[in-house]
Amino acid sequence: MGHRLTIGWLYSDLMNIYGDRGNIQTLIQRARWRGLEVRVLELGKGASEGIETVDVFFFGGGQDKEQELVYDDLLETKAIHLANAMQRGAAFLAVCGGYQLLGHYYQTAQGERLPGIGLLDVRTVAGGKRCIGDVVIESDAELGLQPRTLVGFENHSGRTYLGDGVRPLGRVRRGNGNNGEDGSEGAVSGNIFGTYLHGSLLPKNPHLTDLILSRALNRELEPLDDSLELAAHNWIKDRELSGSRRA
Ligand code: GLN
């Protein structure tokens, strides 16, 4: 049983907004708390050395202009390696702009269609009004998360529509989610998790962090004392669901 975790951080310099680097720190720390040695591989434009050793990829958010800067490299130097990684069971967490580019395409507000790498059967088209605010979702029962809820913050113009090849990460209880129409948020296919939840997401959702780590390592993880993290999680959930916060 390996005692090492390798995290592949895609475009850490360009796709890293609204505190998304907090997800990297959370993955590192929760792996270390289990006695694992952790290595972070920053996979910027043109970089693919060591990508075959990655256990879990993180692909953060970015504005349209950053997405326009990275999509060609994603297609030309990363796509084949990421497809191989998916085949060998690596885990992925992709947030917002990163999530969109793991799909078939992201069409910007100017109508430019940026091709994605199609690891997730989703399509995204930028809408008029931005979706901005706190989000609470009820995670898909198949994921077995306890608590069922996930909390985060969204800020996107993209409207993402799910194809048959994915299940939603969850259903929206507060916020817009994928498109503000069908009540879905995020997408899951195998060990690939896409979501609009910034925040950053993982610090206040330790149960999702452990699910991703467990899939990446292909093993159960011993439980930790998550009372502090879940107190933060519940504070936001209760505030948002009680409607005590005026929009
Ligand atoms: N540019 C994309 C959008 O506006 C993604 C934004 C983000 O990553 N927060 O939908």
Side-chain angles (χ1 to χ4, degrees):
M1 196 179 305
H3 290 284
R4 181 172 184 173
L5 176 83
T6 299
I7 300 172
W9 190 359
L10 292 164
Y11 309 107
S12 54
D13 54 341
L14 288 166
M15 297 294 282
N16 174 28
I17 54 176
Y18 311 132
D20 284 343
R21 70 169 52 241
N23 295 305
I24 297 287
Q25 290 160 348
T26 307
L27 288 166
I28 292 170
Q29 192 54 54
R30 293 186 72 84
R32 282 184 178 154
W33 277 332
R34 273 70 178 226
L36 286 155
E37 185 195 322
V38 182
R39 182 172 65 129
V40 178
L41 214 50
E42 297 199 30
L43 296 163
K45 293 190 76 162
S48 58
E49 192 179 337
I51 200 167
E52 70 286 348
T53 68
V54 171
D55 301 302
V56 53
F57 290 91
F58 177 68
F59 195 178
Q63 298 303 1
D64 290 18
K65 69 178 177 354
E66 280 91 12
Q67 290 171 287
E68 288 162 10
L69 288 174
V70 304
Y71 82 92
D72 54 353
D73 181 81
L74 185 63
L75 285 170
E76 288 159 22
T77 73
K78 305 285 192 295
I80 182 67
H81 299 296
L82 298 181
N84 292 341
M86 178 184 74
Q87 290 303 321
R88 60 177 164 78
F92 294 69
L93 174 63
V95 177
C96 205
Y99 166 35
Q100 295 168 343
L101 290 178
L102 286 195
H104 298 297
Y105 59 78
Y106 168 58
Q107 184 168 303
T108 69
Q110 287 68 41
E112 186 188 2
R113 187 169 280 194
L114 308 182
I117 57 173
L119 291 190
L120 281 174
D121 184 13
V122 302
R123 291 164 177 77
T124 303
V125 179
K129 183 172 170 297
R130 288 192 76 81
C131 301
I132 300 175
D134 288 288
V135 182
V136 180
I137 72 170
E138 194 80 3
S139 59
D140 189 64
E142 282 195 9
L143 297 174
L145 289 174
Q146 206 40 298
R148 283 282 301 274
T149 48
L150 293 170
V151 298
F153 185 83
E154 64 183 338
N155 183 337
H156 55 102
S157 65
R159 304 301 188 260
T160 295
Y161 299 91
L162 307 186
D164 298 336
V166 292
R167 290 183 66 81
L169 177 63
R171 310 293 304 171
V172 172
R173 293 182 59 183
R174 170 88 167 164
N176 297 279
N178 280 323
N179 49 52
E181 298 158 30
D182 63 15
S184 70
E185 199 298 308
V188 180
S189 171
N191 292 343
I192 304 181
F193 297 83
T195 180
Y196 274 110
L197 299 187
H198 293 285
S200 45
L201 171 65
L202 295 183
K204 292 188 285 294
N205 298 286
H207 47 323
L208 178 61
T209 313
D210 284 356
L211 175 62
I212 293 168
L213 286 174
S214 174
R215 294 289 186 89
L217 295 163
N218 192 25
R219 68 185 246 212
E220 289 305 312
L221 297 173
E222 54 281 15
L224 296 171
D225 172 6
D226 292 333
S227 47
L228 200 57
E229 293 88 343
L230 291 176
H233 176 102
N234 293 330
W235 186 80
I236 290 188
K237 176 173 71 173
D238 297 346
R239 182 190 70 187
E240 291 308 309
L241 297 186
S242 68
S244 60
R245 179 181 159 115
R246 291 288 154 250

